[in-house]
Each structure stands twice: as structure tokens, then as C-alpha cells.
């Protein structure tokens, strides 16, 4: 472990998590990106498309592709925002709600598994470290 850099550990861990979620999602003709997008959409009230990219930390062009895929799979519908004619609200279809529930179940199962295998103290330290890393990057204190 001495020769592994922090960014390597973060990248390798995220790739493993991503691969795990994609393997599970493929059982339902989905992907991790689809699952996270579905979880970012309010299941009853709909969500402005601009809020989804913020919630997911995704670039608008990537979100556009993801939303197109969700629409093609019949998981969402788009409607003009009645309060702002320039905006679009994204709503889950019935199938989208089912897939959202499966995505939520996977995320909760992952979290439960981690919590069973890592003490609360260690998990709190991990979260603290991740918060500091994010703050350093956000505040542009790295470069």
C-alpha cells in the first residue's frame, strides 16, 4: 500500500463500486448511470432537468445522453415546466418508478453491507477524509 497514491486508491475503489453497480443493473437492462439518474428524480413531483445534473455531479451534455436513454427505455417523460416555460420537468413513468425502487434497494444493500463490515468509527473517519478532500478540491487548494 505504501506505493499507492491517494488518487489511485480513490479511483480503483470507485471503479470497483461502479463495476459492481453496473453488473447488478445489467440484470435489469440498466446501468449505474441510469440508476443514479432515477434516484435523482422525485418519484411524485418530478424534477427540473437542471437539478438532476447538480444532484448527480454530472456535466449537462452527459446528462442529456442519460435522459435520452431513460426516455427511450420508457423510464421517464419530459414536460414543460408550468411555472417556467423555458424549463423542463422530468417525471418517472410507472416502469421508471419500479426501476427507481430497484436502484434504491441496491444502494441500501451496498450501504448495509459496508456498515456490517466497517466500524462506525472507521466509517466516520472515512467520511471526514472524503469531506476534506472534496473541500480542498472545491476551494482550489490543491493546485
Amino acid at each position: 500500500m505504501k506505493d499507492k497514491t491517494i488518487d489511485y486508491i480513490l479511483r480503483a475503489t470507485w471503479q470497483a463500486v461502479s463495476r459492481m453497480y453496473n453488473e447488478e443493473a445489467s440484470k435489469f437492462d440498466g446501468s449505474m448511470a441510469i440508476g443514479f439518474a432515477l434516484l435523482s428524480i422525485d418519484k411524485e413531483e418530478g424534477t427540473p432537468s437542471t437539478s438532476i445534473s447538480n444532484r448527480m455531479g454530472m456535466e449537462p451534455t452527459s446528462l442529456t445522453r442519460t435522459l435520452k436513454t431513460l426516455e427511450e427505455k420508457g423510464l421517464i417523460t419530459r414536460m414543460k415546466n408550468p411555472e417556467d416555460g423555458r424549463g423542463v420537468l422530468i417525471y418517472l413513468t410507472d416502469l421508471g418508478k419500479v426501476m427507481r425502487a430497484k436502484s434504491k434497494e441496491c444502494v441500501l444493500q451496498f450501504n448495509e453491507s459496508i456498515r456490517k463490515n466497517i466500524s462506525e468509527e472507521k466509517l466516520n473517519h472515512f467520511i471526514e477524509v472524503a469531506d476534506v478532500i472534496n473541500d480542498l478540491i472545491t476551494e482550489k487548494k490543491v493546485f
Side-chain angles (χ1 to χ4, degrees):
M1 288 294 268
K2 291 180 186 176
D3 60 337
K4 291 183 182 177
T5 61
I6 294 165
D7 64 313
Y8 171 85
I9 294 166
L10 291 170
R11 187 174 56 251
T13 302
W14 178 246
Q15 286 174 343
V17 170
S18 178
R19 193 169 37 254
M20 173 198 67
Y21 277 136
N22 277 318
E23 285 175 13
E24 188 63 24
S26 71
K27 297 175 185 175
F28 307 101
D29 191 33
S31 69
M32 183 186 74
I34 288 172
F36 281 147
L38 292 172
L39 290 169
S40 298
I41 300 168
D42 185 285
K43 62 183 175 185
E44 301 303 328
E45 303 295 319
T47 303
S49 57
T50 52
S51 297
I52 298 169
S53 61
N54 292 341
R55 290 179 185 183
M56 293 181 64
M58 194 180 235
E59 293 297 321
T61 53
S62 297
L63 178 65
T64 300
R65 284 191 302 269
T66 301
L67 291 178
K68 184 177 183 215
T69 300
L70 291 172
E71 201 166 29
E72 288 170 353
K73 290 182 176 283
L75 302 172
I76 63 164
T77 58
R78 301 179 202 222
M79 296 182 174
K80 282 193 172 198
N81 187 337
E83 295 174 16
D84 177 5
R86 299 169 295 166
V88 174
L89 292 174
I90 308 297
Y91 290 92
L92 296 171
T93 62
D94 289 341
L95 178 59
K97 289 177 183 178
V98 169
M99 294 296 283
R100 184 185 190 280
K102 288 181 183 183
S103 298
K104 183 176 180 179
E105 185 181 313
C106 289
V107 170
L108 293 175
Q109 185 175 342
F110 171 73
N111 278 267
E112 181 182 332
S113 179
I114 297 302
R115 291 184 189 282
K116 281 183 182 177
N117 288 281
I118 299 174
S119 72
E120 187 173 346
E121 180 183 10
K122 285 184 179 182
L123 194 53
N124 286 336
H125 288 303
F126 170 76
I127 293 167
E128 288 171 22
V129 169
D131 285 345
V132 170
I133 291 170
N134 279 317
D135 289 345
L136 288 170
I137 293 167
T138 301
E139 296 169 12
K140 300 191 184 302
K141 293 184 176 180
V142 176
F143 300 111

